[in-house]
Amino acid sequence: MMGFFDRFKAKRDETAALYAAVVARARAPHWYVEGAAPDTIDGRFDMIAAVLAMVMLRLENDPAGAPAATHLAEAFVDDMDPQLREIGIGDLLVGKHVGRMMGMLGGRLGAYRDGIAAGDLKPALVRNLYRGAGPGDDALAHVERELLALRAAMAGLSVDRLIAGELA
């Protein structure tokens, strides 16, 4: 008999392939070379958050995707906790840092959602990915184009295919 927490963990495990695909996509060199995303701990976090936001926004547009979006956010927390410990954040502060990261992710979701609705992601990217210090026009256009291409590619995929880790 499966207990409550076992069912909860099983649901999160269903999105493991999707989360792995998000991280792999966010680590692609073009973001950091052509897109001039900072290749730092913060820059990599911001790039993962940008790709993750595109995926979560896609999932929230489909009623079948809402549970997967929740489990994907939980996978993000599960990934960030050991990452923080690895860079030396002590046990007493990890929860506070993870909470801040979740708040940052929520803010990015809203900013990218608004940017998509307005037809211009650039202001949200400058604020959230580049933390106010915008790169050159070509780099900014590259990141915007690639994120929107990812969004368009995912629009044609079923939630099941996304959960399986297929992003495009």
Side-chain angles (χ1 to χ4, degrees), residues 35-78:
D39 193 7
T40 62
I41 290 172
D42 287 342
R44 283 178 254 139
F45 166 83
D46 293 333
M47 198 66 246
I48 289 170
V51 172
L52 183 61
M54 292 299 120
V55 174
M56 292 178 77
L57 291 172
R58 162 58 182 92
L59 290 170
E60 79 177 15
N61 286 331
D62 187 327
T70 299
H71 299 306
L72 194 57
E74 291 162 356
F76 175 72
V77 169
D78 289 346

Short mmCIF file of all heavy atoms in Angstrom, two decimals, residues 35-78:
data_model
loop_
_atom_site.label_atom_id
_atom_site.label_comp_id
_atom_site.label_asym_id
_atom_site.label_seq_id
_atom_site.Cartn_x
_atom_site.Cartn_y
_atom_site.Cartn_z
N GLY A 35 24.12 34.62 -26.62
CA GLY A 35 23.16 35.37 -25.79
C GLY A 35 23.79 36.18 -24.68
O GLY A 35 23.10 36.94 -24.00
N ALA A 36 25.07 36.01 -24.46
CA ALA A 36 25.81 36.76 -23.43
C ALA A 36 25.20 36.67 -22.03
O ALA A 36 25.36 37.57 -21.21
CB ALA A 36 25.98 38.23 -23.84
N ALA A 37 24.51 35.56 -21.75
CA ALA A 37 24.04 35.34 -20.38
C ALA A 37 25.28 35.16 -19.51
O ALA A 37 26.24 34.52 -19.93
CB ALA A 37 23.15 34.10 -20.31
N PRO A 38 25.29 35.73 -18.32
CA PRO A 38 26.47 35.60 -17.46
C PRO A 38 26.74 34.13 -17.11
O PRO A 38 25.84 33.43 -16.65
CB PRO A 38 26.10 36.39 -16.21
CG PRO A 38 24.99 37.30 -16.64
CD PRO A 38 24.26 36.57 -17.72
N ASP A 39 27.95 33.68 -17.35
CA ASP A 39 28.32 32.30 -17.02
C ASP A 39 28.86 32.28 -15.59
O ASP A 39 30.04 32.10 -15.34
CB ASP A 39 29.34 31.76 -18.02
CG ASP A 39 29.50 30.25 -17.89
OD1 ASP A 39 28.73 29.62 -17.13
OD2 ASP A 39 30.41 29.70 -18.53
N THR A 40 27.92 32.51 -14.67
CA THR A 40 28.20 32.55 -13.24
C THR A 40 27.14 31.69 -12.56
O THR A 40 26.18 31.25 -13.20
CB THR A 40 28.11 33.99 -12.70
OG1 THR A 40 26.75 34.45 -12.90
CG2 THR A 40 29.08 34.92 -13.40
N ILE A 41 27.27 31.51 -11.26
CA ILE A 41 26.24 30.76 -10.53
C ILE A 41 24.89 31.46 -10.69
O ILE A 41 23.89 30.83 -11.01
CB ILE A 41 26.62 30.61 -9.05
CG1 ILE A 41 27.80 29.64 -8.91
CG2 ILE A 41 25.43 30.12 -8.23
CD1 ILE A 41 28.39 29.56 -7.52
N ASP A 42 24.86 32.78 -10.49
CA ASP A 42 23.61 33.51 -10.63
C ASP A 42 23.10 33.48 -12.07
O ASP A 42 21.91 33.32 -12.31
CB ASP A 42 23.78 34.98 -10.20
CG ASP A 42 23.90 35.14 -8.70
OD1 ASP A 42 23.52 34.20 -7.96
OD2 ASP A 42 24.38 36.20 -8.27
N GLY A 43 24.01 33.62 -13.03
CA GLY A 43 23.62 33.60 -14.43
C GLY A 43 23.04 32.26 -14.84
O GLY A 43 22.05 32.20 -15.59
N ARG A 44 23.63 31.18 -14.35
CA ARG A 44 23.09 29.84 -14.67
C ARG A 44 21.74 29.64 -14.01
O ARG A 44 20.83 29.07 -14.61
CB ARG A 44 24.10 28.77 -14.28
CG ARG A 44 25.24 28.70 -15.29
CD ARG A 44 26.29 27.68 -14.92
NE ARG A 44 27.44 28.46 -14.46
CZ ARG A 44 28.19 28.17 -13.43
NH1 ARG A 44 27.98 27.07 -12.75
NH2 ARG A 44 29.18 28.94 -13.08
N PHE A 45 21.58 30.11 -12.77
CA PHE A 45 20.27 30.06 -12.12
C PHE A 45 19.24 30.82 -12.95
O PHE A 45 18.13 30.34 -13.20
CB PHE A 45 20.34 30.66 -10.71
CG PHE A 45 18.99 30.93 -10.11
CD1 PHE A 45 18.28 29.92 -9.50
CD2 PHE A 45 18.41 32.20 -10.19
CE1 PHE A 45 17.01 30.16 -8.97
CE2 PHE A 45 17.15 32.44 -9.66
CZ PHE A 45 16.45 31.42 -9.05
N ASP A 46 19.60 32.03 -13.38
CA ASP A 46 18.68 32.87 -14.15
C ASP A 46 18.32 32.21 -15.48
O ASP A 46 17.17 32.33 -15.94
CB ASP A 46 19.28 34.25 -14.39
CG ASP A 46 19.44 35.05 -13.10
OD1 ASP A 46 18.66 34.81 -12.15
OD2 ASP A 46 20.34 35.91 -13.05
N MET A 47 19.27 31.51 -16.10
CA MET A 47 18.98 30.86 -17.38
C MET A 47 18.07 29.66 -17.17
O MET A 47 17.13 29.44 -17.93
CB MET A 47 20.30 30.45 -18.06
CG MET A 47 20.16 30.16 -19.54
SD MET A 47 19.71 31.64 -20.48
CE MET A 47 18.08 31.18 -21.03
N ILE A 48 18.34 28.89 -16.12
CA ILE A 48 17.43 27.77 -15.80
C ILE A 48 16.04 28.32 -15.52
O ILE A 48 15.04 27.78 -16.01
CB ILE A 48 17.96 26.94 -14.61
CG1 ILE A 48 19.20 26.14 -15.02
CG2 ILE A 48 16.87 25.99 -14.08
CD1 ILE A 48 19.92 25.48 -13.86
N ALA A 49 15.96 29.40 -14.75
CA ALA A 49 14.66 29.99 -14.43
C ALA A 49 13.94 30.47 -15.68
O ALA A 49 12.72 30.34 -15.79
CB ALA A 49 14.83 31.13 -13.43
N ALA A 50 14.67 31.01 -16.65
CA ALA A 50 14.04 31.49 -17.89
C ALA A 50 13.46 30.32 -18.69
O ALA A 50 12.31 30.38 -19.15
CB ALA A 50 15.05 32.27 -18.74
N VAL A 51 14.24 29.27 -18.85
CA VAL A 51 13.74 28.10 -19.60
C VAL A 51 12.61 27.43 -18.82
O VAL A 51 11.58 27.08 -19.39
CB VAL A 51 14.89 27.11 -19.90
CG1 VAL A 51 14.36 25.82 -20.51
CG2 VAL A 51 15.92 27.76 -20.83
N LEU A 52 12.80 27.28 -17.52
CA LEU A 52 11.77 26.68 -16.67
C LEU A 52 10.47 27.48 -16.75
O LEU A 52 9.38 26.92 -16.84
CB LEU A 52 12.27 26.60 -15.23
CG LEU A 52 11.36 25.94 -14.21
CD1 LEU A 52 11.08 24.49 -14.58
CD2 LEU A 52 11.98 26.02 -12.83
N ALA A 53 10.58 28.80 -16.76
CA ALA A 53 9.39 29.64 -16.86
C ALA A 53 8.65 29.40 -18.17
O ALA A 53 7.42 29.30 -18.18
CB ALA A 53 9.76 31.12 -16.72
N MET A 54 9.38 29.28 -19.27
CA MET A 54 8.72 29.01 -20.56
C MET A 54 7.97 27.69 -20.51
O MET A 54 6.84 27.59 -21.00
CB MET A 54 9.75 28.97 -21.70
CG MET A 54 10.40 30.29 -22.02
SD MET A 54 9.24 31.57 -22.54
CE MET A 54 9.55 32.80 -21.28
N VAL A 55 8.57 26.68 -19.90
CA VAL A 55 7.92 25.37 -19.80
C VAL A 55 6.71 25.46 -18.88
O VAL A 55 5.62 24.95 -19.20
CB VAL A 55 8.91 24.29 -19.31
CG1 VAL A 55 8.20 22.97 -19.05
CG2 VAL A 55 10.04 24.11 -20.32
N MET A 56 6.86 26.11 -17.74
CA MET A 56 5.74 26.21 -16.81
C MET A 56 4.59 27.03 -17.39
O MET A 56 3.42 26.70 -17.18
CB MET A 56 6.21 26.78 -15.47
CG MET A 56 7.13 25.81 -14.73
SD MET A 56 7.76 26.45 -13.18
CE MET A 56 6.29 26.25 -12.16
N LEU A 57 4.92 28.08 -18.15
CA LEU A 57 3.86 28.86 -18.80
C LEU A 57 3.13 28.01 -19.83
O LEU A 57 1.90 28.14 -19.98
CB LEU A 57 4.45 30.12 -19.45
CG LEU A 57 4.96 31.17 -18.47
CD1 LEU A 57 5.69 32.29 -19.20
CD2 LEU A 57 3.82 31.72 -17.62
N ARG A 58 3.84 27.16 -20.52
CA ARG A 58 3.18 26.24 -21.47
C ARG A 58 2.25 25.29 -20.73
O ARG A 58 1.12 25.06 -21.13
CB ARG A 58 4.25 25.47 -22.27
CG ARG A 58 3.78 24.20 -22.98
CD ARG A 58 2.63 24.44 -23.95
NE ARG A 58 2.19 23.21 -24.56
CZ ARG A 58 1.21 22.43 -24.10
NH1 ARG A 58 0.58 22.74 -22.98
NH2 ARG A 58 0.86 21.34 -24.75
N LEU A 59 2.74 24.73 -19.63
CA LEU A 59 1.93 23.77 -18.87
C LEU A 59 0.70 24.43 -18.27
O LEU A 59 -0.37 23.82 -18.21
CB LEU A 59 2.77 23.12 -17.77
CG LEU A 59 3.85 22.15 -18.26
CD1 LEU A 59 4.76 21.76 -17.10
CD2 LEU A 59 3.23 20.92 -18.90
N GLU A 60 0.82 25.67 -17.83
CA GLU A 60 -0.34 26.33 -17.20
C GLU A 60 -1.43 26.65 -18.21
O GLU A 60 -2.56 26.91 -17.82
CB GLU A 60 0.09 27.57 -16.43
CG GLU A 60 0.33 28.80 -17.25
CD GLU A 60 0.68 30.03 -16.42
OE1 GLU A 60 1.01 29.92 -15.23
OE2 GLU A 60 0.61 31.14 -16.98
N ASN A 61 -1.11 26.63 -19.49
CA ASN A 61 -2.12 26.89 -20.52
C ASN A 61 -2.97 25.68 -20.83
O ASN A 61 -3.87 25.76 -21.65
CB ASN A 61 -1.45 27.39 -21.81
CG ASN A 61 -0.98 28.81 -21.69
OD1 ASN A 61 -1.55 29.60 -20.94
ND2 ASN A 61 0.06 29.14 -22.41
N ASP A 62 -2.68 24.56 -20.19
CA ASP A 62 -3.41 23.31 -20.44
C ASP A 62 -3.86 22.77 -19.09
O ASP A 62 -3.03 22.55 -18.21
CB ASP A 62 -2.46 22.32 -21.12
CG ASP A 62 -3.13 21.05 -21.58
OD1 ASP A 62 -4.09 20.60 -20.91
OD2 ASP A 62 -2.68 20.50 -22.59
N PRO A 63 -5.17 22.57 -18.89
CA PRO A 63 -5.63 22.07 -17.59
C PRO A 63 -4.92 20.79 -17.16
O PRO A 63 -4.69 20.58 -15.97
CB PRO A 63 -7.13 21.82 -17.81
CG PRO A 63 -7.51 22.70 -18.95
CD PRO A 63 -6.28 22.82 -19.82
N ALA A 64 -4.55 19.95 -18.12
CA ALA A 64 -3.83 18.72 -17.78
C ALA A 64 -2.40 19.00 -17.34
O ALA A 64 -1.75 18.14 -16.74
CB ALA A 64 -3.82 17.77 -18.98
N GLY A 65 -1.90 20.20 -17.61
CA GLY A 65 -0.53 20.53 -17.28
C GLY A 65 -0.33 21.12 -15.91
O GLY A 65 0.80 21.18 -15.41
N ALA A 66 -1.39 21.56 -15.25
CA ALA A 66 -1.25 22.22 -13.94
C ALA A 66 -0.55 21.34 -12.91
O ALA A 66 0.38 21.82 -12.24
CB ALA A 66 -2.61 22.69 -13.44
N PRO A 67 -0.93 20.08 -12.75
CA PRO A 67 -0.20 19.25 -11.77
C PRO A 67 1.27 19.09 -12.14
O PRO A 67 2.14 19.14 -11.27
CB PRO A 67 -0.92 17.90 -11.82
CG PRO A 67 -2.27 18.19 -12.38
CD PRO A 67 -2.07 19.35 -13.32
N ALA A 68 1.56 18.95 -13.42
CA ALA A 68 2.95 18.80 -13.85
C ALA A 68 3.74 20.07 -13.55
O ALA A 68 4.91 20.00 -13.16
CB ALA A 68 3.02 18.46 -15.33
N ALA A 69 3.13 21.24 -13.72
CA ALA A 69 3.82 22.50 -13.41
C ALA A 69 4.17 22.56 -11.93
O ALA A 69 5.27 22.98 -11.56
CB ALA A 69 2.95 23.68 -13.82
N THR A 70 3.26 22.12 -11.08
CA THR A 70 3.52 22.10 -9.64
C THR A 70 4.68 21.16 -9.33
O THR A 70 5.59 21.51 -8.58
CB THR A 70 2.26 21.66 -8.88
OG1 THR A 70 1.23 22.60 -9.14
CG2 THR A 70 2.51 21.56 -7.39
N HIS A 71 4.64 19.97 -9.91
CA HIS A 71 5.70 18.99 -9.65
C HIS A 71 7.04 19.46 -10.22
O HIS A 71 8.10 19.16 -9.66
CB HIS A 71 5.31 17.62 -10.19
CG HIS A 71 4.06 17.09 -9.56
ND1 HIS A 71 3.90 16.97 -8.19
CD2 HIS A 71 2.91 16.66 -10.09
CE1 HIS A 71 2.70 16.50 -7.92
NE2 HIS A 71 2.07 16.30 -9.07
N LEU A 72 6.99 20.19 -11.31
CA LEU A 72 8.21 20.74 -11.90
C LEU A 72 8.83 21.78 -10.96
O LEU A 72 10.05 21.80 -10.77
CB LEU A 72 7.89 21.35 -13.26
CG LEU A 72 9.05 21.68 -14.17
CD1 LEU A 72 9.92 20.46 -14.45
CD2 LEU A 72 8.52 22.25 -15.48
N ALA A 73 8.01 22.61 -10.36
CA ALA A 73 8.51 23.59 -9.38
C ALA A 73 9.13 22.86 -8.18
O ALA A 73 10.17 23.29 -7.66
CB ALA A 73 7.38 24.51 -8.92
N GLU A 74 8.53 21.76 -7.78
CA GLU A 74 9.09 20.98 -6.67
C GLU A 74 10.42 20.34 -7.06
O GLU A 74 11.34 20.26 -6.24
CB GLU A 74 8.08 19.92 -6.23
CG GLU A 74 6.87 20.54 -5.57
CD GLU A 74 5.67 19.61 -5.51
OE1 GLU A 74 5.73 18.49 -6.05
OE2 GLU A 74 4.65 20.03 -4.92
N ALA A 75 10.55 19.92 -8.31
CA ALA A 75 11.82 19.37 -8.79
C ALA A 75 12.90 20.45 -8.76
O ALA A 75 14.06 20.18 -8.43
CB ALA A 75 11.66 18.82 -10.21
N PHE A 76 12.51 21.67 -9.08
CA PHE A 76 13.43 22.81 -9.01
C PHE A 76 13.94 22.98 -7.58
O PHE A 76 15.15 23.13 -7.35
CB PHE A 76 12.70 24.06 -9.50
CG PHE A 76 13.47 25.33 -9.39
CD1 PHE A 76 14.54 25.59 -10.24
CD2 PHE A 76 13.10 26.29 -8.47
CE1 PHE A 76 15.24 26.79 -10.15
CE2 PHE A 76 13.79 27.49 -8.38
CZ PHE A 76 14.87 27.73 -9.22
N VAL A 77 13.04 22.94 -6.60
CA VAL A 77 13.43 23.05 -5.19
C VAL A 77 14.35 21.90 -4.82
O VAL A 77 15.39 22.09 -4.17
CB VAL A 77 12.20 23.09 -4.27
CG1 VAL A 77 12.60 22.93 -2.81
CG2 VAL A 77 11.42 24.38 -4.48
N ASP A 78 13.98 20.68 -5.23
CA ASP A 78 14.80 19.51 -4.92
C ASP A 78 16.20 19.64 -5.50
O ASP A 78 17.16 19.13 -4.93
CB ASP A 78 14.15 18.23 -5.46
CG ASP A 78 12.91 17.82 -4.69
OD1 ASP A 78 12.69 18.35 -3.58
OD2 ASP A 78 12.16 16.97 -5.19
#
